Amino acid sequence: MSFFNGRRSALGVIAMLVLAVFACPAQAARALDTAYGKVEIDGSPERVVTLYEGALDAAVALGTKPVAAVATRGGNSVANYTQARVPGIAIVGTARESNIEAVVAQRPDVILASSNLSEPQYRLLSKIAPTVVPKNAAFGPDAWQNETRLFARALDREDKAAQLIAAFDKRAEQISAQVPADTEATLARWMPQGPLVMSSKIFGGRVLAAAGFETADHDDIADDRPHSDPLSLENLDRIDSDWLFLATLNDDGESALAKARTSPAFERLSVVQRDHVVPVDGQLWTSASGPLAADAILDDIARALGIAARP
């Protein structure tokens, strides 16, 4: 091959490469519809900060390893059920308040927050990185599913979200088929001051309903509240039902529950006499949300019913 032919050949290859580059348009930023307007995110974020337990759960389930999160209620780290999945994760606040300086130090590409995030907090955080706040109400019927879809769009993992939700629906339906009709379940959290009846609208109540249980609310739980006021031992009949899923958040709650179990009022409950009281992790059942938590709660339900944990 002559020098000129070789040079023409090389120039042709370069020309083809240039054309190929210009023929492939740059990936457009994804526009997310959030509580505080449109948020645009490019590519796949690598440094993800979650300021809400449901956001941490969804991010991990979607295959992302967040660099920071907030501590769970009643604890100083993330919830027990997520700890092994995010070893060494930085803590940048609590469920009630984030530490802005700690968030800045993580140099996030994106921040995933709760629908309860206030606008002043949002304005501060959005100056650090794109901040995603779900529009849906926290107690909505499909809250965790909608949040998972939104967070998945933020993380460029929408296909994975669809798979996770479909897997939950299938498994919940299989468990529901083995729960007798009109079987009532109550979810309560035992605190040192007494038990709280949890609203059927919170995440744990929604999973119980998906698994086939009747989950009626009590008259003393307002629509916008997650639970009742503490009940006295004289009012324990309010937590009586076919099944009682009884949660504690920490050692103080467990100690109070152990003391209550020795009282005649507790022993008289029909659910106690049927041995249908199921101790559960309050961090999971009454504070968490997301695909991982939903699956873990179904594990607890299947175990309580004595059925196969997995299809």
Side-chain angles (χ1 to χ4, degrees):
M1 179 183 295
S2 70
F3 169 79
F4 293 106
N5 287 337
R7 186 168 182 271
R8 280 197 297 269
S9 177
L11 288 172
V13 170
I14 292 172
M16 289 174 63
L17 290 173
V18 170
L19 286 172
V21 168
F22 283 100
C24 297
Q27 184 178 3
R30 299 182 299 287
L32 281 68
D33 189 15
T34 77
Y36 294 113
K38 298 289 184 185
V39 172
E40 292 194 345
I41 299 177
D42 288 308
S44 299
E46 294 182 359
R47 296 192 63 81
V48 180
V49 168
T50 63
L51 302 181
Y52 161 52
E53 290 177 272
L56 173 64
D57 183 301
V60 173
L62 291 164
T64 299
K65 186 177 179 182
V67 296
V70 293
T72 186
R73 289 173 179 79
N76 54 17
S77 185
V78 297
N80 296 329
Y81 81 98
T82 55
Q83 285 183 7
R85 299 173 185 268
V86 287
I89 193 168
I91 299 300
V92 292
T94 66
R96 294 189 175 185
E97 185 176 10
S98 304
N99 183 323
I100 299 296
E101 291 79 10
V103 174
V104 171
Q106 293 301 319
R107 298 175 288 108
D109 298 327
V110 68
I111 298 169
L112 306 181
S114 159
S115 60
N116 293 326
L117 186 75
S118 69
E119 186 167 0
Q121 283 280 300
Y122 172 77
R123 297 301 170 198
L124 287 172
L125 292 166
S126 62
K127 292 177 180 176
I128 303 169
T131 300
V132 179
V133 180
K135 289 179 69 174
N136 57 275
F139 295 157
D142 298 314
W144 76 263
Q145 293 94 330
N146 291 333
E147 288 175 355
T148 299
R149 294 185 185 101
L150 178 66
F151 295 144
R153 183 161 175 76
L155 300 175
D156 198 20
R157 303 192 177 209
E158 291 176 272
D159 289 347
K160 180 64 173 176
Q163 294 169 12
L164 291 168
I165 293 168
F168 168 80
D169 289 342
K170 180 179 179 180
R171 189 172 176 219
E173 185 178 355
Q174 290 169 334
I175 293 175
S176 178
Q178 301 188 61
V179 176
D182 302 321
T183 300
E184 185 180 37
T186 296
L187 173 58
R189 181 198 290 166
W190 205 285
M191 304 292 285
Q193 313 93 297
L196 310 174
V197 181
M198 306 305 295
S199 168
S200 65
K201 299 180 182 67
I202 71 164
F203 171 74
R206 298 290 188 189
V207 177
L208 275 171
F213 291 95
E214 296 291 328
T215 55
D217 267 342
H218 293 255
D219 293 338
D220 53 355
I221 304 178
D223 288 342
D224 60 347
R225 293 195 62 202
H227 53 69
S228 70
D229 292 328
L231 303 178
S232 65
L233 288 178
E234 291 73 23
N235 291 324
L236 283 186
D237 60 314
R238 296 189 187 183
I239 64 173
D240 211 353
S241 55
D242 296 317
W243 287 86
L244 172 61
F245 293 86
L246 200 48
T248 53
L249 282 176
N250 50 35
D251 291 342
D252 289 341
E254 290 177 12
S255 175
L257 175 58
K259 183 177 179 180
R261 283 181 179 275
T262 65
S263 73
F266 189 89
E267 289 298 320
R268 281 196 297 269
L269 295 176
S270 60
V271 69
V272 173
Q273 295 175 13
R274 287 195 302 272
D275 196 24
H276 279 185
V277 178
V278 184
V280 295
D281 182 355
Q283 292 180 0
L284 171 64
W285 277 73
T286 66
S287 292
S289 70
L292 297 177
D295 206 38
I297 289 177
L298 290 183
D299 283 343
D300 285 347
I301 293 171
R303 194 176 301 114
L305 295 175
I307 62 178
R310 298 286 167 176

